Amino acid sequence: MLLKKLNESVSKIFMNQRDTSRNSSRKSAVKKSPPRPIKPNQNILKKPAQKQPPTKPEVVFIKPEEVLPKALEALNARNFSKTVQILSLLPTTSYNIQHFLAKGFALLSLNENQKAAATFLEAAERFPNHATFWFNLGLAQENLGNLNAAISSYQRSIFTEPNMSLQKLMALGNIANIFLKKNEPLKAQTNIEQALSSYDVLSSIKPLETQEPRVKAQFLNTLSLSLMRQGLYSAAIKYFLEAHKLYPASDLTLVNLAIAYSDIFDFKSAHYYFAKAMAIKDTPTIQYYDGLTYLLEGDYKKGFPLLDKKLQEAAALKIKSDIPVWKGEDISGKSLLIVYEQGLGDVIHFARYHALLPKDCELFWVIPKSLAGLLKPYLRGTIIEDDKVVSFLQNKKCDFFIPMFSICSIAGYEKVPPIAIKAKDFPEKKKVCTLENPNILKVGLIWQGSGTNKRDFERSIPLGKFSALFENKNIAFYAPFKGYDEEGLKDYPIESLNHEISDFTDAMRIFDELDIIITVDTASVHLAGSMGKKTFLLLPKCPDWRWGIDKDTTDLYPSVTILRQEEFNNWDSVIARLVTLVECVKSV
């Protein structure tokens, strides 16, 4: 019975439905201090204030044999802090399996992953044949970013579990997702195929409706996300629909299903399932993803307003302030704080919309430090580097603020030309690319983006894919960006300029010396486009919203030519077209 209750609790953890509320209010008796004597010079008509003694933390006295039942009671009431507190009354040397499970689940629910990992590791060492300990150790390690350790723990749970179970399926799905994070799709595919095969076996043994539908739906979600990351959308949608049938109350399944439809440009189905998700739980996050779908299909009028609630959250803005949001009212003579909330490329992109802001108000721009020098000559108003915004707000009270992305919700998404970045607007600096041979084409190659982007696995391209381009001996290749592994360049004819770049102003000076920029979808395309450089943008099958879904040019940057994947995860045809286009540029 105890294990059944614990399994019910862990199913909630799998669904990431962590309740942040705490049953921490406690009544404690407060003893009144005796009245103090009145001093001769004290006004006797005014009763002296009595200091209350500080409230002491509640001291819990529980018999050892009552610790586990009390802890399970707190766990089932979702009072995770109390669960840990009660179990801490016993030394872990006296714990049995149920003690460890209860404490570990509570710590995971509190997002105390370091402590949860330590708890489950101790439990696994004490009870090495208990698969649940290894599985949850893997979960905690994955949350901590210890991916290799997590894989080992998940695999240990699979080998330890004697029978087919949902937990074994979850472990396979989690391993697959980790391999995808590590950009190892073949290993991910192996685990997905094993999970699918095991799923079919399990389904044939026991009717689906009787197998903990919430946990089964979560497994199918994990599996479907893995399939999506490999471009296997038909299979992903199939299992998302099955997950929804098993557990209709999950808004998470519906959101993932809607995103899958959006990725294959079935916008009608995407909006339908976003609406169903919002009928269950209407949150800014769901509205945000629905808005991105409208933007991708080109409906900016509907898209931008849906993003606003999410973007105006303090977590998105990285600031804490009581400044009211500007919603389009007259702000003549007022001050407006514009705060970036997206990536570096978005800041360069949306800098152009300063032209739509009222002319007779004072503007303050909060932007990343790496972009401050680059944008300073072009933005009307004052630039505040993001690491100085706290001290700025302590000394300056702005009348209104707005997320940079939200300018279009108020001013309208008009065809505004990009800011025209020119090297002559900046102080001279020593040249970096010094090749003067007119027969040599100087090409800047940006093949990867930041790994912190959740969809970087789609946009970044392995350097080996460019082998056909590297065969041309009349091209000098440079890596004019930061963040790559310089050791990885030794097998390719690319000169690293990593040491020459400290911010985007340095990158701009280097771009100015290059003939062509070839880039994946990173901030580099926005920089090159704003400079008017001849640029080839290499896009995955499902691109970022601003590039649309089918054109090979863009109104955002007239100098940019877009090369799109024809099928998911296939860069070969893109690189083949790129080689031809670069040859044409060289021959002009």
Side-chain angles (χ1 to χ4, degrees):
M1 185 64 183
L2 294 176
L3 283 174
K4 181 179 180 181
K5 290 182 178 180
L6 289 170
N7 287 333
E8 291 174 352
S9 298
V10 76
S11 70
K12 297 176 182 178
I13 294 171
F14 290 156
M15 292 299 291
N16 291 323
Q17 294 178 343
R18 294 173 179 153
D19 189 349
T20 56
S21 62
R22 303 282 181 266
N23 299 326
S24 59
S25 58
R26 301 184 179 99
K27 296 180 180 179
S28 58
V30 180
K31 297 180 181 180
K32 294 184 178 180
S33 302
R36 294 175 294 179
I38 300 175
K39 296 180 181 179
N41 62 348
Q42 190 172 5
N43 184 351
I44 61 173
L45 296 178
K46 183 178 180 181
K47 187 176 180 179
Q50 296 181 354
K51 289 186 178 180
Q52 300 294 333
T55 302
K56 296 181 179 180
E58 180 183 15
V59 179
V60 180
F61 297 100
I62 302 177
K63 296 178 181 179
E65 62 271 18
E66 294 179 351
V67 166
L68 183 58
K70 292 287 186 182
L72 291 176
E73 181 182 342
L75 182 66
N76 289 325
R78 303 186 66 80
N79 192 338
F80 304 119
S81 295
K82 188 173 182 180
T83 303
V84 175
Q85 180 191 18
I86 292 172
L87 288 168
S88 298
L89 297 174
L90 291 178
T92 56
T93 52
S94 64
Y95 278 18
N96 61 26
I97 290 174
Q98 290 86 356
H99 288 89
F100 278 117
L101 286 173
K103 185 175 181 180
F105 293 161
L107 289 168
L108 281 176
S109 298
L110 292 169
N111 206 28
E112 295 279 357
N113 291 298
Q114 196 72 51
K115 293 180 181 179
T119 298
F120 283 121
L121 178 59
E122 182 179 356
E125 290 173 345
R126 288 265 306 277
F127 304 96
N129 294 323
H130 200 283
T132 301
F133 291 145
W134 293 109
F135 176 86
N136 285 285
L137 174 59
L139 187 63
Q141 290 167 331
E142 185 178 359
N143 291 341
L144 290 167
N146 301 331
L147 301 185
N148 291 331
I151 289 174
S152 297
S153 297
Y154 286 137
Q155 289 174 336
R156 184 69 180 268
S157 75
I158 291 171
F159 297 144
T160 305
E161 179 68 54
N163 302 313
M164 183 53 58
S165 67
L166 288 174
Q167 181 173 278
K168 182 175 286 190
L169 297 182
M170 292 284 290
L172 289 166
N174 289 353
I175 290 172
N177 276 331
I178 290 176
F179 278 127
L180 288 170
K181 290 178 184 177
K182 290 163 60 68
N183 198 27
E184 299 181 48
L186 294 179
K187 292 182 180 179
Q189 181 63 28
T190 299
N191 284 274
I192 288 173
E193 290 173 353
Q194 187 178 349
L196 285 171
S197 175
S198 302
Y199 175 75
D200 292 336
V201 171
L202 184 61
S203 299
S204 65
I205 295 172
K206 195 174 182 182
L208 298 181
E209 292 78 7
T210 64
Q211 294 186 34
E212 295 287 352
R214 185 196 299 253
V215 181
K216 171 140 278 186
Q218 174 60 12
F219 161 70
L220 291 176
N221 262 291
T222 300
L223 175 63
S224 298
L225 290 171
S226 298
L227 293 167
M228 280 177 64
R229 289 179 66 129
Q230 296 182 84
L232 303 174
Y233 281 89
S234 295
I237 288 171
K238 170 188 172 183
Y239 290 113
F240 278 138
L241 288 169
E242 191 169 339
H244 175 57
K245 182 179 179 181
L246 281 168
Y247 191 67
S250 173
D251 59 300
L252 175 64
T253 298
L254 291 168
V255 169
N256 288 335
L257 177 58
I259 292 173
Y261 275 118
S262 179
D263 282 2
I264 61 173
F265 311 144
D266 184 348
F267 301 123
K268 182 177 179 180
S269 296
H271 294 307
Y272 172 77
Y273 285 107
F274 278 129
K276 289 194 69 172
M278 284 185 274
I280 296 172
K281 186 187 295 184
D282 191 358
T283 67
T285 298
I286 299 176
Q287 292 181 36
Y288 176 84
Y289 284 114
D290 195 21
L292 287 178
T293 299
Y294 277 115
L295 294 181
L296 181 60
E297 62 183 308
D299 192 339
Y300 302 135
K301 186 176 181 180
K302 289 184 179 178
F304 279 108
L306 285 172
L307 274 62
D308 281 352
K309 286 186 179 179
K310 179 67 176 176
L311 297 179
Q312 290 168 12
E313 291 179 345
L317 294 170
K318 304 177 182 66
I319 64 169
K320 293 182 179 180
S321 175
D322 57 356
I323 306 172
V325 179
W326 180 50
K327 297 181 179 179
E329 61 266 44
D330 181 20
I331 54 174
S332 300
K334 304 289 186 180
S335 57
L336 178 64
L337 183 72
I338 304 109
V339 186
Y340 89 99
E341 73 299 310
Q342 302 286 300
L344 298 172
D346 293 286
V347 177
I348 301 175
H349 173 187
F350 281 87
R352 71 185 70 198
Y353 298 111
H354 75 95
L356 303 180
L357 294 171
K359 303 295 183 184
D360 51 356
C361 69
E362 188 178 17
L363 302 180
F364 296 92
W365 300 82
V366 178
I367 63 174
K369 183 177 181 179
S370 61
L371 282 168
L374 179 73
L375 297 180
K376 187 175 181 180
Y378 308 108
L379 290 179
R380 177 170 60 89
T382 303
I383 288 180
I384 303 123
E385 296 175 4
D386 54 352
D387 60 348
K388 299 177 181 177
V389 65
V390 174
S391 59
F392 169 78
L393 291 175
Q394 290 173 345
N395 298 301
K396 172 67 178 179
K397 177 67 175 178
C398 290
D399 297 303
F400 296 92
F401 90 88
I402 186 174
M404 199 172 187
F405 210 83
S406 297
I407 295 174
C408 296
S409 299
I410 296 174
Y413 191 83
E414 300 181 16
K415 291 183 179 179
V416 178
I419 53 175
I421 298 176
K422 303 293 183 183
K424 63 182 180 61
D425 296 333
F426 299 84
E428 290 294 326
K429 188 176 180 180
K430 180 182 176 181
K431 284 183 174 292
V432 176
C433 307
T434 56
L435 289 175
E436 301 296 340
N437 188 336
N439 295 319
I440 294 292
L441 197 69
K442 292 181 287 186
V443 174
L445 179 61
I446 299 95
W447 63 91
Q448 69 181 41
S450 170
T452 60
N453 187 300
K454 292 181 180 180
R455 302 194 72 154
D456 185 63
F457 66 94
E458 289 180 291
R459 64 175 179 174
S460 292
I461 306 175
L463 265 177
K465 291 287 185 180
F466 294 94
S467 57
L469 188 65
F470 295 147
E471 291 176 2
N472 193 324
K473 304 305 179 182
N474 294 318
I475 299 177
F477 293 96
Y478 299 88
F481 69 110
K482 297 183 71 68
Y484 52 86
D485 177 17
E486 290 195 61
E487 184 67 19
L489 298 186
K490 63 182 181 180
D491 297 326
Y492 303 100
I494 305 175
E495 181 177 341
S496 172
L497 300 178
N498 190 26
H499 58 287
E500 299 285 346
I501 301 173
S502 59
D503 59 15
F504 274 84
T505 305
D506 291 338
M508 177 274 302
R509 292 190 179 99
I510 293 173
F511 277 31
D512 188 57
E513 299 180 44
L514 298 171
D515 299 309
I516 298 176
I517 303 296
I518 298 172
T519 181
V520 296
D521 187 9
T522 71
S524 294
V525 67
H526 297 278
L527 174 59
S530 296
M531 295 176 65
K533 298 292 295 185
K534 180 65 178 175
T535 303
F536 294 110
L537 171 61
L538 315 181
L539 289 183
K541 177 67 175 178
C542 182
D544 183 70
W545 64 270
R546 78 198 77 220
W547 311 118
I549 61 175
D550 53 10
K551 294 181 179 180
D552 58 7
T553 58
T554 171
D555 293 333
L556 293 177
Y557 304 107
S559 66
V560 172
T561 299
I562 299 175
L563 286 75
R564 303 174 184 272
Q565 282 184 348
E566 295 176 356
E567 57 185 28
F568 286 99
N569 298 330
N570 186 349
W571 289 109
D572 294 341
S573 61
V574 175
I575 302 301
R577 296 199 305 275
L578 175 66
V579 171
T580 301
L581 290 171
V582 171
E583 282 291 335
C584 291
V585 172
K586 182 178 178 299
S587 63
V588 172

